């Protein structure tokens, strides 16, 4: 099966969504599917056996695309729309695997080109907008309507956590929503001893945080 993955992020970067995109693309290719991946212009090249990686052309003046909603990201999404049309004409995939907001423009494209659509929902975008710009509640409902429409019309919704699964269930049938939680990447095998932190706690609660200290780590999941 031919699959076109749309990843509206700088790729590759060592953070959540690009890591998940890479793992998904490699897993699909390992199963024998023909995978083409389209991402933003920024990021570093990484080996992905069986995956053809394409990038959008660099939009004028758009550099260092930040995580989350931004004007620069919207411009890159528009460039991705045009690039996706070209790949659809040339590649003729059976499925469009659209990550996050790429599902919004992938939906009409899937109908136009007669492909199935997988909505890979890694976040609730309408809530992200309000969290970043509380005064943007007036437009967040528009994004929420787009999300629910995409949930309802997609052939399959992949939810990364129960909160997104619950949001999708407001519009999509349960049999078209698949919960696929994030999993830790396998690290290199090591014989180094594992440090036991419990003696340092001295019978007090011990809290561990795994991740970086970026503000975007606060999430609905």
């Amino acid at each position: 099966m031919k699959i076109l993955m749309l990843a509206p992020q700088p790729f590759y970067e060592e953070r959540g969504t690009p890591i998940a995109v890479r793992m998904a693309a490699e897993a699909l290719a390992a199963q024998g599917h023909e995978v083409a991946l389209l991402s933003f212009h920024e990021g570093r090249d990484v080996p992905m056996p069986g995956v053809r990686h394409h990038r959008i052309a660099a939009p004028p003046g758009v550099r260092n695309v930040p995580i989350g909603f931004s004007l620069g990201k919207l411009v890159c999404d528009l460039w991705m729309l045009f690039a996706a049309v070209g790949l659809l004409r040339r590649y003729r995939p059976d499925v469009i695997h659209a990550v996050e907001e790429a599902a919004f423009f992938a939906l009409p494209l899937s109908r136009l080109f007669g492909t199935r659509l997988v909505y890979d929902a890694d976040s609730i975008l309408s809530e992200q907008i309000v969290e970043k710009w509380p005064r943007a509640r007036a437009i967040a409902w528009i994004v929420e309507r787009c999300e629910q429409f995409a949930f309802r019309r997609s052939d399959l919704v992949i939810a990364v956590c129960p909160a997104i699964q619950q949001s999708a269930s407001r519009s999509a049938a349960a049999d078209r929503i698949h919960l696929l939680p994030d999993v830790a990447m396998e690290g290199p095998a090591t014989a180094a001893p594992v440090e036991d932190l419990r003696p340092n706690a001295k019978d007090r609660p011990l809290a561990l945080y795994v991740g970086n200290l970026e503000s975007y780590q606060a999430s609905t999941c």
Side-chain angles (χ1 to χ4, degrees), residues 2 4 36 38 52-54 83-93 113:
K2 292 184 178 180
L4 173 60
L38 177 63
R52 288 182 286 178
H53 184 197
H54 305 267
V85 171
L87 285 176
L88 284 164
R89 286 175 173 171
R90 186 175 68 194
Y91 189 52
R92 294 294 175 177
F113 286 89

Side-chain angles (χ1 to χ4, degrees), residues 93-159:
D94 303 295
V95 176
I96 300 176
H97 184 124
V99 179
E100 295 186 329
E101 76 272 10
F104 299 167
F105 60 80
L107 181 57
L109 291 180
S110 68
R111 300 300 184 262
L112 180 63
F113 286 89
T115 71
R116 293 188 178 274
L117 175 63
V118 174
Y119 182 180
D120 192 336
D122 285 0
S123 62
I124 303 177
L125 300 175
S126 54
E127 293 184 3
Q128 279 189 354
I129 293 174
V130 174
E131 288 173 0
K132 188 170 184 178
W133 297 302
R135 295 183 178 180
R137 292 182 182 274
I139 65 170
W141 71 271
I142 300 176
V143 179
E144 183 181 8
R145 291 288 181 87
C146 292
E147 285 177 325
Q148 293 301 323
F149 185 76
F151 285 144
R152 183 167 59 253
R153 295 293 185 176
S154 296
D155 297 286
L156 177 67
V157 176
I158 299 177

